[in-house]
Each structure stands twice: as C-alpha cells, then as structure tokens.
Amino acid sequence: MVALPIVRSSNVKTLTSTPTYVAVFIGATAGIGSYGVKSLASSWYNANTSSSKQALPSGRHLRIYIVGRNLSAAEALIAECRQACPEGGDFRFIKADDLALLKDVRKCTGEIVEAEEMEAGKSGEKAKIDQLVMSQGIISFTKQDTSESLDRTISLTLYSRMLFATLLLPLLHNSTLPTGGSVTSVFNPNLENTSFYPHDLALRDPKNFGFRSASSHMALGTAFFFEGLANEERDENTKEEGKGKGKGVRFAHLYPGFVETNSIENGTVPGWFRWAWNWIIGPVFGLFVGKMPEGECGERLIYLASGRFAARGGVGAVEGKSGGEMGGGEDAAVAADGTRSGGFYRVGAKGEILESTKAYKKFKGDGAGKKVWEHIRRVFEDVERDGVYTGK
C-alpha cells in the first residue's frame, strides 16, 4: 500500500515538473473519471501556488480534455474545476456520441489532436498529452452488439480504450513529464480468469459469452495489448545505437477499489440485480470492504503519472530505486512481467502492485499475447475500412 501522504507528495512533484500539464479523461462526465478531473484541478492549483502563497506564477498552465456524452454534467464539472482552480486552468469538453463505436473514438481523438496542435501553434511548443485516463464502460450480463458488430460492453472497456491509447500515442510521446506520458485504463486486473477463448477473442459465439468470460477477455485483452505497446516503447528507446534512452510512455491497468459510479445504471443488468445492488449488495460490500472516497480515488489516479511507473527502457527505467526527481524515494514499480520498470503495471486501489494472475501466466505462456495484439489491431483496421468487424 502507498500511503496517501506519499501519494500527495509525489503528485506535487509531478504537477510542478512541467510548465503546462495536459490531461485527457475519457468517460469523465460522471464517476471515477470525474473524480480524477476534480482532483487534478485542485491538486494542480494547490501544488503550483503553495510556494508563493499567493497568485499562480506566470507561465504555469493546466489543460484538461473531458470526453463524454452528457453536456450538462460536463458543464457542472467544469464549473467545479474553475472554483478549485481559479487561475491557469483550461477545461474543455469533447462531446462523444457513443464511445462503444470506434468511429466515434476516431472523431473524438481527431478533435483533441486538432485542439492541441492549435495550442502548440500559439506557444511554439509540440502538441502533447502528459496523462490519459480511460474509465468509460457499463456493466451488462447479456450480449449486445453495436453497429460495428462488436459487443457493446467489451468495446467500451477494451477496443475503445485501446484505440484511444493507440491514436493518442504520438502526443503522449511529446509529454514534458520527466519520465514521459502516462496511460491508465480503469477496470480490474483481478478479473483475469480461465474463461478466456483465444479462438474466439471477440466472443462471437453466444455459448462463450457470459459475465465471467467477458470480464476475462476485457482484463486479459488490456494486459496483453498494453504489454505490446510497452514493448514497442522498449524497441523505440533502444533501436538506435548510441541514441540513449528516451522518455517513452508507460501503461497501467488500475483496480480503483469500491467506488460509487453509474456503470450499473447505464448498463443492461436485470432490474432485480439493480435493486439488489442498490439496497443489499452495494451497502453490505461497502460496509465490509469500505468505499474509496471520491477525492482519494482522484488523487491516486494522478499518482499513476509519477516516476515510480517508468516506461520500458525509458528514462527512470532502473533495477531498484526509480530515477530522477519523480520517484520520491520509492522503489521502482514491478511490472506485470515481473521486471522493474517494465512499462505495464497492474495496480491496486491503494497503489500497491498486484501480482500477475495464474490466468495471465497461463495464456501468455500459450502465446495468447501475440494473438490478442493481432486481433485488436485487425479490429481497428476492419472497422476503419469497412465500418464493421467480421472476424473472430
């Protein structure tokens, strides 16, 4: 467990390490994403004004892109952010229609890239993103395909998020954080299980689809694809002899703990389960496990951009202590593959590193990682070309 005071101290270092901090939150008009946005707005302002005790020093800027569907919720969220961050903050809403559709993901990323390039033109700097956080998703017990022939639940939590990460990677490479850009997918690594079908990765066959198998495909799919991206960072940092280490981009799959969200209300669970969750399961679970406070949830999201989580082969990637001024004296995080600073991290609610599951080890050993990588890439290509995915 990483104590909250350490998280806060680390966040101050992260948020004051660059003159302009740029973050993108996907699915952020409610729930975990909105907690992260609010925490970033207040934490950034407090970190950058604490030394002066007065106004924000000149040349300091925060820019947050809030991607979601609900305009009124976004306006309320932005109003809260402006109260918490009265100077230097620029909060922008990117309207999504349906993030389960990859064509909508491409539209939203296009708007973000265009906006950042315009900012770069004004400042003379490179368009960049320092932190990308993705939490869009619903809970469903039944299969429901989108117009692109992908299950809606899996598309939101896996395909949509992996496409955002892929398309925004060039801007993440331009991050001015000392240890590079940070990408986080909020779900639950511990849902990796043996109900995983490498021959049916999109769960086309209704006999293979269920809550357990869908959860496993989303969790293992995130692990294997993020690991593939992390490996590409290693290759990028080492391909030119004598070039030296670049910053790279690091990836995390976060279990946020028991946090109140609207994922059940927005899902397609039966009415009896919604009632049971609201009146029995949720309250009992919260009583015994304990709810994660909204503010702490947001602060721990920011913490994933710290130097403890280094890119594979990039700056700060060391055996032992994390490098530079971002580490705060903490040990470099152990990645999913068991190496320190391996680039892809499985993180628990209190910042602890989660051990790799038996399912992850089994299917990785069987070569599923490469299959998942190729499958997700093919989904992207097919849907972009034909508007629909026809494979398995």
Side-chain angles (χ1 to χ4, degrees), residues 82-105:
R82 286 174 176 159
Q83 281 192 323
C85 180
E87 297 177 90
D90 182 358
F91 309 100
R92 305 186 185 188
F93 178 55
I94 303 294
K95 178 73 168 66
D97 297 316
D98 184 356
L99 291 176
L101 298 177
L102 301 189
K103 66 178 181 180
D104 200 35
V105 173

Side-chain angles (χ1 to χ4, degrees), residues 9 19 22-23 45 53 91 146 223 226 250 261 263 269 312 327 334 345:
S9 175
V22 180
Y45 186 75
K53 302 293 184 182
F91 309 100
T146 68
F226 270 179
R250 47 263 170 72
T261 71
S263 58
V269 298
R312 193 177 185 95
V334 177
Y345 306 92

Side-chain angles (χ1 to χ4, degrees), residues 17-211:
S17 67
T18 179
T20 300
Y21 194 95
V22 180
V24 176
F25 285 81
I26 314 294
T29 52
I32 292 169
S34 69
Y35 308 153
V37 170
K38 287 186 282 189
S39 288
L40 180 54
S42 60
S43 296
W44 180 87
Y45 186 75
N46 292 335
N48 282 278
T49 57
S50 60
S51 59
S52 64
K53 302 293 184 182
Q54 295 177 356
L56 183 73
S58 62
R60 311 296 294 189
H61 304 281
L62 169 68
R63 189 157 54 252
I64 302 179
Y65 294 93
I66 301 165
V67 182
R69 295 180 300 168
N70 193 324
L71 175 60
S72 60
E75 290 173 339
L77 176 59
I78 289 172
E80 286 189 64
C81 289
R82 286 174 176 159
Q83 281 192 323
C85 180
E87 297 177 90
D90 182 358
F91 309 100
R92 305 186 185 188
F93 178 55
I94 303 294
K95 178 73 168 66
D97 297 316
D98 184 356
L99 291 176
L101 298 177
L102 301 189
K103 66 178 181 180
D104 200 35
V105 173
R106 291 186 182 277
K107 177 185 75 73
C108 291
T109 53
E111 292 179 23
I112 294 168
V113 170
E114 182 180 7
E116 269 307 291
E117 288 178 344
M118 287 184 63
E119 287 298 324
K122 297 175 186 176
S123 64
E125 299 175 350
K126 290 182 178 180
K128 68 154 187 171
I129 294 172
D130 297 306
Q131 186 169 20
L132 169 63
V133 178
M134 301 171 287
S135 58
Q136 70 270 32
I138 58 173
I139 294 178
S140 178
F141 291 167
T142 57
K143 184 173 176 59
Q144 180 186 8
D145 281 355
T146 68
S147 60
E148 296 173 341
S149 293
L150 296 168
D151 174 70
R152 177 168 295 279
T153 302
I154 297 176
S155 187
L156 279 167
T157 305
L158 179 61
Y159 301 119
S160 168
R161 298 185 187 192
M162 298 306 104
L163 185 56
F164 268 115
T166 300
L167 295 178
L168 293 176
L169 207 53
L171 269 64
L172 285 155
H173 277 132
N174 292 340
S175 169
T176 50
L177 293 181
T179 45
S182 168
V183 178
T184 300
S185 182
V186 182
F187 184 49
N188 188 348
N190 289 323
L191 291 177
E192 299 168 356
N193 63 71
T194 54
S195 293
F196 181 78
Y197 304 97
H199 61 283
D200 184 17
L201 289 171
L203 291 179
R204 294 287 211 197
D205 188 341
K207 292 183 294 185
N208 293 333
F209 188 91
F211 181 78

